[in-house]
Amino acid sequence: MAFVKDMLRMWAHSWKRFISIAMITLLGVAVLTGIYAGCRDAFRSTDRFFDAQGLHDVQVLSTAGLSNGDIAALRKVNGVAKVQAERSQEVTFDLDGRKSATMQEIGTNGIDQPYLQEGRMPKKAGEIAVTRKFIRDSGKHIGSRLTVTPESASSDTSDTSDTNGADGTNETNGTDEAPSFPTKLTIVGVVLDPQNLSNPDGYSAMTSFRSTATTDYTFFAPSDGVTGTLYTSATLLVKGAAAESTFDESYENTVKQVTDRIDGTVKTDRQKARRQELLDAGNKKIVDARAEADKKFADAQSQIDANRQQFNQQVDQIVDMQAGAAAAGAAANGANAGAVAAAGATTPQLDETTRETMRETIIAASPELTQAKQQLDQAQSQLNEQKASTEQTLKTKENELKTSIPQVRWYVQDRQSLGGFSALKSDLDSIQSLGNAFPIVFLLVAVMMSLTAMARMVEEDRSLIGTYVGLGYGRLAVASRYLLFALLACLIGGGLGLIAGFLGIPAFLLVVLQGMYVMPGLRLEYDWLYGSLGIALFVVGVLAATIYACVQEMRQTPAALMRPKAPRAGSRILLERIRPVWNRIGFLGKVTARNIFRFKSRFIMTVGGVAGCTALIVCGLAINDTVADLGIKQYRDIYQYDLMVVSDDSDASAMRTKVASDGRVTSSLDVRIESGDLTVAGSGDGDSGKAGSSGSESIQLVAVPEKHLSDLGEMVTLQPVSSGILGTSGVGKTGSLKLDDDGVIVAQSAASALGVKAGSKVRLTNGDGVQATAKVSAVNRNLIGSDVYVSETYYAKLFDSKDAKNTKNSKSSEDSEALTWNAMLAKLSGSDTSQTDYAESLEEDSSVMKAVSCAHMADSFKFDLMGAVVALIVALAGGLALVVLFTLANTNVSERVREMATLKVLGFFDREVHHYVNREMMILTVMGVILGLPLGRLVGGMLTMALNMPSLYFEVEVKPLSYVIAAVATMAFALLVQLFVNPVLDRIDPISSLKSVE
């Protein structure tokens, strides 16, 4: 019992050490669990929401639309739970200018159901539900009416229908028609699109550079009033996928099995079948047109024949009359009247030659008959010409049918293709990676500080330990006094850390997340396993340090422990050997130097602890500086052009004419821009694109005219890069990189994520879905977006563009008509504001699909989630620095109580004692800061290299101000600790402190 009382008394006396260990554990557990818990809560709530709304696992699109046969084939795929055929149509309306929207039919099979936020779901024809973004932008409300106009080419489906039909109608065959929606609409509800969780009322515009939306808004309509049997897409749910978390690898593997099955057989078969359907429909229309033409020609021929027969009968009557009259005259000159009577009673028989001669004579003698015959001949001639022309047209259509109908292509996509989903996932993954790295530093610092504190605690009690061991107490029982002390401090600190980690930090992160994304049903959850392991990790680390400290002392005999520890033997330090310097240092300065360098353990612990905390602050500020400069570096340094304008292929000429007529462009470059994919080619068959591949990245494929390859460097800064070891890259000389016909230039943001370098083989997919294996000639410095630059000739070589085979030797890239230059990179005159306004005005033009101002992008680029997490990490690092300095200062004082008492006996005033002690701590703190600044740069570089996010490369940037902030903050914490330490120095009693411990 006395042993226990003494142990409790010892614990109460060491309350400062208890608080230090508990606080370090609290901070470490909070960092370890907090960021993880915040991301996990967001993951889980989003996964529950996706399951509740039936967000599709797989989406199938086709360049020719999907028929009932396609839907039936998808239902038969093994592993498919549900298939929903979807119809949509692009429309336009007037809202402070021309705006576009996608009319989306609400599925009846429970897939991709919009989440009702206000009002009710539409049920009747003409009723729609809109998103909150539309309500905010338009100022409309529930009950408002809206009139829309269908796009002339509202989708790829209708485009295909228009071009493939033999008669130019919107039908792709006899039964399939493109979707059509009502145009007079009434808003009855406000909904959240499960495919896009971006918060329109939030403060962040960070996802704008990753937006994949082709229209401004989405309107949801019921099936009532929707016509057309051709589907724009098919959405699928995979069996067993709902049981997995949508953000886990197990979910991706489950879905991939189904997508592989679709890609394997169904896709190829249905592409061929669909094209054959289109060919059969075209042939049927040609056959029907020929039959209808033949019928019309037959009727016309029958009419002409009837008229000609009637005409011939009239002429024959005249011929007969004239022949009869001639016979009667001849008989009148004859011998008897009987002959006359006989001749008048019968028509004389004429041979065909005579009759034909008489016909021609009669027709020639009569103007009326001549005109009638000419009309009949002219009608017959026109009919023959029409028949020949129609037959030639139909034969031409038969010959052109196969070439006019392109190959049908399917696009099988999973949730990763959804811009909102991939943005949320990449954001949370990047934050979680930071949450996995920083606790390691906290754990190392916690172990170091625990070792320092517990070693001093054990050393203070060495005589008591010797007494207990001499009285027969076991070494384990004596060590348990300190082990239980450390364990209790860890458990209390860890428990408080779990509260902060599963409540405080996640609540903060989720507030920031909800400013960017809408997450219905979001709630905080506790993970018993992860929380317990988090505490256990720090308990093991701190107890290991405590055991080491106990073993170091208790390996001595009880008699040695009960005697005072011998003072450390005097020794010279390196500075003493530098006589010119040493001789000029005062007495107290020499004492300070000896105290700093002779006590190596204290030196290492103090400098190491301060350096670690400073490094954490620098690391957090480095990430913040890196993210803050991304937009400026990309849109003002790398992109030299001011404006990028993109149009549909059919509007390319009109777009260029519009931009040229405005007179704002000082120089420009016509290019072709397509959305595609870049995949690491397999190590085996270079053309397979599958075996051995290790990732895929969405890219913007930029084809440059052959005659203007040298002009690319004037629009985009071309600098070759190579990977660096500190998060930087070896950047080559500006202008040393040239685009040629031997390979493609890949953006650094894509190359870094996939491990691509110059000389690598990659699989490129162009905008038409055609794949080809390309050689990477160089990697270009690029931070935002994933651009891949390719020459016109190499593009033709890769994707077998027949019209572009000989562009290199043609007069000009425009004359060759190899590619449609659907985009323009331009430099503009005027201020940044005027350039931004001009880009906005261009988007209102019907020939412009997208206009992007680099000035606007540079000013508006934000990454608020990362900034919030960095602020949190810097705050926690600052707290850790404060605790570390407090622990080290108190340990320093407790080790030197007799020394401080001696100084007081020698006549030192309290302020002089303060200065004597604090000067050493400040010098050690400065050393720690000097070491921590480059260390923080190193750690920050390594962390940013680990942040592989789609279309982003973090080029580490640490501003001088960040170094100053980190150094000043650490020094400020050191000064703050002095305010707590000085009263302790004042309370030292010289008499009691100098009494013999024996």
Side-chain angles (χ1 to χ4, degrees), residues 639-701:
Y639 287 166
Q640 297 295 310
Y641 60 85
D642 301 314
L643 176 71
M644 179 178 71
V645 189
V646 184
S647 70
D648 289 327
D649 287 357
S650 58
D651 297 327
S653 297
M655 176 269 291
R656 287 194 291 272
T657 302
K658 164 64 178 173
V659 175
S661 64
D662 291 336
R664 294 291 305 275
V665 175
T666 58
S667 62
S668 64
L669 173 64
D670 292 338
V671 296
R672 177 167 184 81
I673 293 180
E674 300 176 352
S675 296
D677 291 303
L678 184 146
T679 306
V680 178
S683 57
D685 184 3
D687 294 334
S688 65
K690 294 183 178 180
S693 65
S694 60
S696 177
E697 185 88 0
S698 297
I699 62 168
Q700 182 171 269
L701 188 61

Side-chain angles (χ1 to χ4, degrees), residues 864-884:
D864 298 285
L865 179 58
M866 186 70 75
V869 174
V870 167
L872 175 65
I873 291 174
V874 170
L876 293 173
L880 180 64
L882 184 61
V883 174
V884 166

